[in-house]
Coordinates of all heavy atoms in Angstrom, one line a residue:
E1 N 0.8 -1.2 0.0 CA 0.0 0.0 0.0 C 0.9 1.3 0.0 O 0.5 2.3 -0.6 CB -0.9 0.0 1.2 CG -1.9 1.1 1.2 CD -2.9 1.0 2.4 OE1 -2.4 1.4 3.5 OE2 -4.0 0.4 2.3
D2 N 2.0 1.2 0.7 CA 2.9 2.3 0.8 C 4.3 1.8 0.6 O 4.9 1.2 1.5 CB 2.7 3.0 2.1 CG 3.6 4.3 2.3 OD1 4.5 4.5 1.5 OD2 3.4 5.0 3.3
Q3 N 4.9 2.1 -0.5 CA 6.3 1.6 -0.8 C 7.4 2.1 0.2 O 8.4 1.4 0.3 CB 6.7 1.9 -2.2 CG 5.8 1.2 -3.3 CD 6.3 1.4 -4.7 OE1 7.1 2.3 -4.9 NE2 5.7 0.7 -5.6
R4 N 7.1 3.2 0.8 CA 8.1 3.8 1.7 C 7.8 3.4 3.2 O 8.5 3.9 4.1 CB 8.3 5.3 1.5 CG 8.6 5.7 0.1 CD 8.9 7.2 0.1 NE 10.2 7.4 0.6 CZ 10.6 8.7 0.9 NH1 9.8 9.7 0.7 NH2 11.8 8.9 1.4
W5 N 6.8 2.6 3.4 CA 6.4 2.4 4.8 C 7.5 1.7 5.6 O 7.9 2.1 6.7 CB 5.2 1.5 4.8 CG 4.7 1.2 6.2 CD1 4.2 2.1 7.1 CD2 4.6 -0.1 6.9 NE1 3.8 1.5 8.3 CE2 4.1 0.1 8.2 CE3 5.0 -1.3 6.5 CZ2 3.9 -0.9 9.1 CZ3 4.8 -2.4 7.3 CH2 4.3 -2.2 8.6
T6 N 8.2 0.7 5.0 CA 9.3 0.0 5.7 C 10.5 0.9 5.9 O 11.2 0.8 6.9 CB 9.7 -1.3 5.0 OG1 10.0 -1.0 3.6 CG2 8.6 -2.4 5.0
S7 N 10.7 1.8 5.0 CA 11.8 2.8 5.2 C 11.5 3.7 6.3 O 12.4 4.1 7.0 CB 12.1 3.5 3.9 OG 12.5 2.7 2.8
Q8 N 10.2 4.1 6.4 CA 9.8 5.0 7.5 C 10.0 4.3 8.8 O 10.6 4.9 9.8 CB 8.3 5.3 7.4 CG 7.8 6.1 8.5 CD 8.3 7.6 8.6 OE1 8.2 8.3 7.6 NE2 9.0 7.9 9.7
L9 N 9.7 3.0 9.0 CA 9.9 2.3 10.2 C 11.4 2.1 10.5 O 11.8 2.3 11.7 CB 9.3 0.9 10.1 CG 7.7 0.8 10.0 CD1 7.3 -0.7 10.1 CD2 7.1 1.6 11.2
A10 N 12.2 1.9 9.4 CA 13.6 1.7 9.7 C 14.2 3.1 10.1 O 15.1 3.1 11.0 CB 14.3 1.3 8.3
M11 N 13.7 4.2 9.6 CA 14.2 5.5 10.0 C 13.9 5.8 11.4 O 14.7 6.3 12.2 CB 13.7 6.6 9.1 CG 14.3 8.0 9.3 SD 16.1 8.1 9.0 CE 16.0 8.1 7.2
E12 N 12.7 5.5 11.8 CA 12.2 5.7 13.2 C 13.1 4.9 14.2 O 13.5 5.5 15.2 CB 10.8 5.3 13.4 CG 9.8 6.2 12.6 CD 8.4 5.7 12.7 OE1 8.1 5.0 13.7 OE2 7.5 6.1 11.8
T13 N 13.4 3.7 13.9 CA 14.2 2.9 14.8 C 15.7 3.4 14.8 O 16.3 3.5 15.8 CB 14.2 1.4 14.3 OG1 12.9 0.9 14.3 CG2 15.1 0.6 15.2
L14 N 16.2 3.8 13.6 CA 17.5 4.3 13.5 C 17.7 5.6 14.3 O 18.7 5.7 15.1 CB 17.9 4.6 12.1 CG 19.3 5.2 11.8 CD1 20.4 4.3 12.2 CD2 19.4 5.6 10.3
V15 N 16.7 6.5 14.3 CA 16.8 7.7 15.0 C 16.7 7.4 16.5 O 17.5 8.0 17.3 CB 15.6 8.6 14.6 CG1 15.5 9.8 15.6 CG2 15.8 9.1 13.2
Q16 N 15.9 6.4 16.9 CA 15.9 6.0 18.3 C 17.2 5.5 18.8 O 17.7 5.8 19.9 CB 14.8 5.0 18.6 CG 13.4 5.6 18.4 CD 12.9 6.4 19.6 OE1 13.7 6.7 20.5 NE2 11.6 6.7 19.7
E17 N 17.8 4.6 17.9 CA 19.1 4.0 18.3 C 20.1 5.1 18.5 O 20.9 5.0 19.5 CB 19.5 3.1 17.2 CG 18.7 1.8 17.0 CD 19.1 0.9 15.9 OE1 19.8 1.5 15.0 OE2 18.8 -0.2 15.8
A18 N 20.2 6.0 17.6 CA 21.3 7.1 17.6 C 21.1 8.0 18.8 O 22.1 8.6 19.2 CB 21.2 7.9 16.3
G19 N 19.9 8.0 19.4 CA 19.7 8.9 20.5 C 19.9 8.3 21.9 O 19.7 9.0 22.9
R20 N 20.2 7.0 22.0 CA 20.2 6.3 23.3 C 21.3 6.9 24.2 O 21.2 6.9 25.4 CB 20.5 4.8 23.1 CG 19.4 4.0 22.5 CD 18.1 4.2 23.2 NE 17.3 5.3 22.6 CZ 16.3 5.9 23.3 NH1 16.0 5.7 24.6 NH2 15.6 6.9 22.7
G21 N 22.4 7.4 23.6 CA 23.6 7.9 24.4 C 23.7 9.4 24.6 O 24.6 9.8 25.2
T22 N 22.7 10.1 24.0 CA 22.7 11.6 24.2 C 21.5 12.0 24.9 O 20.4 12.2 24.2 CB 22.9 12.3 22.8 OG1 24.0 11.7 22.1 CG2 23.2 13.8 23.0
R23 N 21.5 12.3 26.2 CA 20.3 12.5 27.0 C 20.2 13.9 27.6 O 19.3 14.2 28.3 CB 20.3 11.4 28.1 CG 20.5 10.0 27.6 CD 19.6 9.6 26.4 NE 18.2 9.7 26.7 CZ 17.3 9.6 25.7 NH1 17.6 9.3 24.5 NH2 16.0 9.7 26.0
S24 N 21.2 14.7 27.3 CA 21.2 16.1 27.7 C 22.0 17.0 26.8 O 22.8 16.5 25.9 CB 21.7 16.2 29.2 OG 23.2 16.0 29.2
A25 N 22.0 18.3 27.0 CA 22.7 19.2 26.1 C 24.2 19.1 26.3 O 25.0 19.6 25.5 CB 22.2 20.6 26.4
T26 N 24.6 18.6 27.4 CA 26.1 18.4 27.7 C 26.6 17.0 27.4 O 27.8 16.8 27.4 CB 26.4 18.8 29.1 OG1 25.7 17.9 30.0 CG2 26.0 20.3 29.4
D27 N 25.7 16.1 27.1 CA 26.1 14.7 26.9 C 26.7 14.6 25.5 O 26.4 15.3 24.6 CB 24.8 13.9 26.9 CG 25.1 12.5 27.4 OD1 26.3 12.1 27.5 OD2 24.1 11.7 27.8
R28 N 27.6 13.6 25.3 CA 28.3 13.4 24.1 C 28.3 11.9 23.7 O 28.5 11.1 24.6 CB 29.7 13.9 24.1 CG 29.9 15.4 24.2 CD 31.3 15.8 24.4 NE 31.4 17.2 24.6 CZ 31.7 18.1 23.5 NH1 31.8 17.6 22.3 NH2 31.8 19.4 23.7
C29 N 28.0 11.6 22.5 CA 28.0 10.2 22.0 C 28.2 10.1 20.5 O 27.4 10.7 19.8 CB 26.7 9.5 22.4 SG 26.7 7.7 22.0
Q30 N 29.2 9.4 20.1 CA 29.5 9.3 18.7 C 28.7 8.1 18.1 O 28.6 7.1 18.7 CB 31.0 9.0 18.5 CG 31.5 9.0 17.1 CD 33.0 8.7 17.0 OE1 33.5 8.0 17.9 NE2 33.7 9.2 16.0
V31 N 28.1 8.3 16.9 CA 27.3 7.2 16.3 C 28.0 6.9 14.9 O 28.3 7.7 14.1 CB 25.9 7.7 16.0 CG1 25.1 6.6 15.3 CG2 25.2 8.1 17.3
I32 N 28.3 5.6 14.8 CA 29.1 5.1 13.6 C 28.3 4.0 12.9 O 27.9 3.0 13.6 CB 30.4 4.6 14.0 CG1 31.2 5.6 14.8 CG2 31.2 4.1 12.8 CD1 32.5 5.1 15.5
I33 N 28.0 4.1 11.7 CA 27.2 3.2 10.9 C 28.2 2.4 10.0 O 29.0 2.9 9.3 CB 26.2 3.9 10.0 CG1 25.3 4.8 10.9 CG2 25.4 3.0 9.1 CD1 24.4 5.8 10.1
V34 N 28.0 1.0 10.1 CA 29.0 0.1 9.4 C 28.2 -0.7 8.4 O 28.7 -1.8 8.0 CB 29.8 -0.7 10.4 CG1 30.8 0.2 11.2 CG2 28.9 -1.5 11.3
D35 N 27.1 -0.3 8.0 CA 26.3 -1.0 7.0 C 26.3 -0.2 5.7 O 25.8 1.0 5.7 CB 24.9 -1.2 7.4 CG 24.0 -1.9 6.4 OD1 24.5 -2.3 5.3 OD2 22.8 -2.2 6.7
D36 N 26.9 -0.7 4.6 CA 27.0 0.1 3.4 C 25.7 0.4 2.7 O 25.7 1.1 1.7 CB 28.0 -0.5 2.4 CG 29.5 -0.4 2.9 OD1 29.7 0.2 4.0 OD2 30.4 -1.0 2.3
T37 N 24.6 -0.3 3.1 CA 23.3 0.1 2.6 C 23.1 1.5 2.8 O 22.3 2.2 2.0 CB 22.2 -0.7 3.4 OG1 22.5 -2.1 3.3 CG2 20.8 -0.4 3.0
W38 N 23.7 2.1 3.8 CA 23.5 3.6 4.1 C 23.9 4.4 2.9 O 23.3 5.5 2.7 CB 24.5 3.9 5.2 CG 24.6 5.4 5.6 CD1 25.5 6.3 5.1 CD2 23.7 6.1 6.4 NE1 25.3 7.5 5.6 CE2 24.1 7.5 6.5 CE3 22.5 5.8 7.2 CZ2 23.5 8.5 7.2 CZ3 21.9 6.8 7.9 CH2 22.4 8.1 7.9
Q39 N 24.8 4.0 2.0 CA 25.3 4.8 0.9 C 24.2 5.2 -0.1 O 24.2 6.2 -0.7 CB 26.4 4.1 0.2 CG 27.7 4.0 1.1 CD 28.8 3.2 0.5 OE1 28.5 2.1 -0.1 NE2 30.0 3.6 0.5
W40 N 23.2 4.2 -0.3 CA 22.1 4.6 -1.2 C 20.8 4.9 -0.4 O 20.0 5.7 -0.8 CB 21.8 3.4 -2.1 CG 21.3 2.2 -1.5 CD1 22.0 1.1 -1.1 CD2 19.9 1.9 -1.1 NE1 21.2 0.1 -0.5 CE2 19.9 0.6 -0.5 CE3 18.7 2.6 -1.3 CZ2 18.7 0.0 -0.1 CZ3 17.5 2.0 -0.8 CH2 17.6 0.7 -0.2
W41 N 20.7 4.3 0.8 CA 19.5 4.4 1.6 C 19.3 5.8 2.2 O 18.2 6.4 2.1 CB 19.5 3.4 2.7 CG 18.2 3.4 3.5 CD1 17.1 2.8 3.2 CD2 18.0 4.0 4.8 NE1 16.1 3.0 4.2 CE2 16.7 3.7 5.2 CE3 18.8 4.8 5.6 CZ2 16.2 4.2 6.4 CZ3 18.3 5.2 6.8 CH2 17.0 4.9 7.2
W42 N 20.4 6.4 2.7 CA 20.3 7.7 3.3 C 19.9 8.8 2.3 O 19.0 9.6 2.5 CB 21.5 8.1 4.1 CG 21.5 9.5 4.6 CD1 22.3 10.5 4.2 CD2 20.7 10.1 5.6 NE1 22.1 11.7 4.9 CE2 21.1 11.4 5.8 CE3 19.7 9.5 6.4 CZ2 20.4 12.3 6.7 CZ3 19.1 10.4 7.3 CH2 19.5 11.7 7.5
P43 N 20.6 8.9 1.1 CA 20.2 9.9 0.2 C 18.7 9.8 -0.3 O 18.1 10.8 -0.6 CB 21.2 9.7 -1.0 CG 22.4 9.1 -0.4 CD 21.8 8.2 0.7
K44 N 18.3 8.6 -0.4 CA 16.9 8.3 -0.9 C 15.9 8.6 0.2 O 14.7 9.0 -0.1 CB 16.8 6.9 -1.3 CG 15.4 6.5 -1.9 CD 15.4 5.0 -2.3 CE 14.0 4.7 -2.9 NZ 14.0 3.2 -3.4
N45 N 16.2 8.5 1.5 CA 15.2 8.5 2.5 C 15.5 9.6 3.6 O 14.8 9.6 4.6 CB 15.1 7.1 3.2 CG 14.6 6.1 2.3 OD1 13.4 6.1 1.8 ND2 15.4 5.1 2.0

């Protein structure tokens, strides 16, 4: 029904994952992606 629905779910989970270690304005956490799917997936979505 919606071709981008799974990409939307993936993005929501990714955003949640990236935020687990930054919980305040002074907090610091580096996020590193090691899946090369990112190379086409991020520009598209």
Side-chain angles (χ1 to χ4, degrees):
E1 187 176 81
D2 182 351
Q3 293 183 349
R4 301 189 75 193
W5 182 66
T6 53
S7 293
Q8 176 68 60
L9 293 185
M11 184 65 76
E12 291 175 22
T13 302
L14 177 65
V15 171
Q16 291 281 10
E17 290 175 342
R20 292 306 91 204
T22 310
R23 311 311 300 173
S24 72
T26 58
D27 213 348
R28 294 173 180 267
C29 184
Q30 185 182 33
V31 179
I32 305 168
I33 300 167
V34 293
D35 179 1
D36 289 356
T37 301
W38 174 265
Q39 293 174 315
W40 67 265
W41 183 82
W42 173 248
K44 182 178 179 180
N45 296 296

